[in-house]
Amino acid sequence: MKHIIGIFILMFAAQALLAEEYKDFGKERLNSSLRHGEWVDIKSVGRTIKAFVVYPERKDKTPVVLVVSEIFGLTDWVRSLCDELAENGVIAIAPDLHSGQKFEDLDAARKATSALPKEQVKADLDATANYALTKIPSCNGALGICGFCWGGGVTFAYANENPKLKAAYSFYGTAPDSADKVKNIACPVYGFYAENDERVNATIPKAEELMKAAAKKYEPVIYKGAGRGFMRSGEPDDPAMREGDKKARDEAWARWRTLLKQLP
């Protein structure tokens, strides 16, 4: 009996360790990057938020892409993705919408994220967008946005709120379900979805119908063999890396690089 209990303890310990690594990997890329990354303070409505900015190695001015995190907040992985975006020629800025919160488990992250007021999230994104366009001298005036999981849904929704956006890249986030949520979208929306994610994928057809009726550009792509979160779980540095997700991530990045080059 003691032997069985010991096995269970080891299993739970291993799962806890994997969960921690799953959330926090990315420091190695950040520490070895030659690109300039920095923390900045941004004044939002009634408060000041932190944001992480990474600059590409370019001699000319460049677009800025806002990065909206998953429910785990501004993790090392999100910051490493900002570095990867900068490696591909754009300035990346990720606001800390979770106000520095760190989460021990998935349930805590879900509760904290669901408690974020939508008005506050919008205000923080507005403040970050304004900072990017007015306080970053190397910005060429073009602004895009991307987001992952929860952030993917926020990205699609925010495209309807900010007419200054030139492109929106929504990664496996829920899509809008009513005409009023797409009527003000002024930029193309590109969707990146996982085949094994029917909950989210079920929202795509309605969004396609709404965007078409409103004469808006929406291009969703579903990546075969991928599970939800493949941009993170497909990274070789992820201790829980999945092969199907790695293939999807490579394909998604190939597409994304092409789209990033189309930003003005």
Side-chain angles (χ1 to χ4, degrees):
M1 185 66 178
K2 290 183 179 180
H3 177 67
I4 294 176
I5 293 174
I7 290 175
F8 275 114
I9 291 174
L10 288 174
M11 287 175 62
F12 283 125
Q15 288 174 351
L17 179 60
L18 282 174
E20 187 66 25
E21 290 176 337
Y22 183 66
K23 287 187 288 184
D24 288 342
F25 78 92
K27 284 186 179 180
E28 184 175 345
R29 180 186 179 93
L30 291 167
N31 290 336
S32 62
S33 175
L34 299 178
R35 287 164 291 281
H36 178 72
E38 63 183 9
W39 290 97
V40 297
D41 291 328
I42 298 177
K43 292 183 179 180
S44 187
V45 177
R47 68 201 198 106
T48 299
I49 63 171
K50 293 282 187 181
F52 187 67
V53 188
V54 186
Y55 296 85
E57 294 181 305
R58 290 181 59 165
K59 64 180 180 180
D60 53 344
K61 293 187 176 184
T62 181
V64 174
V65 174
L66 274 62
V67 180
V68 187
S69 73
E70 307 160 302
I71 60 172
F72 293 112
L74 193 46
T75 59
D76 292 332
W77 174 75
V78 174
R79 296 196 301 128
S80 72
L81 186 126
C82 288
D83 182 73
E84 196 166 6
L85 274 168
E87 184 180 40
N88 283 281
V90 299
I91 300 165
I93 180 168
D96 184 4
L97 303 176
H98 289 75
S99 304
Q101 294 183 83
K102 302 295 182 181
F103 306 106
E104 295 299 324
D105 55 45
L106 183 59
D107 282 342
R110 284 174 175 155
K111 290 177 182 177
T113 302
S114 64
L116 290 176
K118 291 184 179 180
E119 298 80 7
Q120 177 179 295
V121 171
K122 180 184 179 301
D124 290 349
L125 289 175
D126 284 343
T128 306
N130 182 64
Y131 180 94
L133 293 173
T134 64
K135 303 294 185 181
I136 298 180
S138 55
C139 171
N140 69 358
L143 181 69
I145 185 171
C146 69
F148 306 85
C149 293
W150 169 76
V154 171
T155 290
F156 212 144
Y158 189 63
N160 196 49
E161 303 287 346
N162 191 337
K164 295 180 181 179
L165 291 172
K166 302 300 182 183
Y169 315 100
S170 177
F171 287 81
Y172 30 85
T174 53
D177 58 4
S178 63
D180 62 307
K181 295 178 181 179
V182 304
K183 65 181 182 181
N184 297 321
I185 294 178
C187 68
V189 178
Y190 303 98
F192 300 74
Y193 302 97
E195 181 181 31
N196 302 322
D197 189 11
E198 180 56 23
R199 183 187 70 84
V200 167
N201 294 349
T203 68
I204 297 174
K206 181 65 174 179
E208 287 183 299
E209 175 187 321
L210 293 169
M211 291 287 278
K212 183 177 181 180
K216 312 293 185 180
K217 184 176 182 179
Y218 174 42
E219 295 184 355
V221 173
I222 298 176
Y223 294 88
K224 292 184 178 181
R228 182 172 173 80
F230 64 82
M231 289 297 285
R232 178 172 58 173
S233 56
E235 286 214 31
D237 291 339
D238 187 343
M241 190 269 288
R242 298 181 295 195
E243 286 298 332
D245 291 351
K246 181 181 183 303
K247 181 176 182 295
R249 185 182 187 278
D250 291 343
E251 292 173 356
W253 256 116
R255 178 190 177 206
W256 200 10
R257 289 188 184 98
T258 299
L259 294 174
L260 289 171
K261 291 176 182 177
Q262 295 172 9
L263 275 173

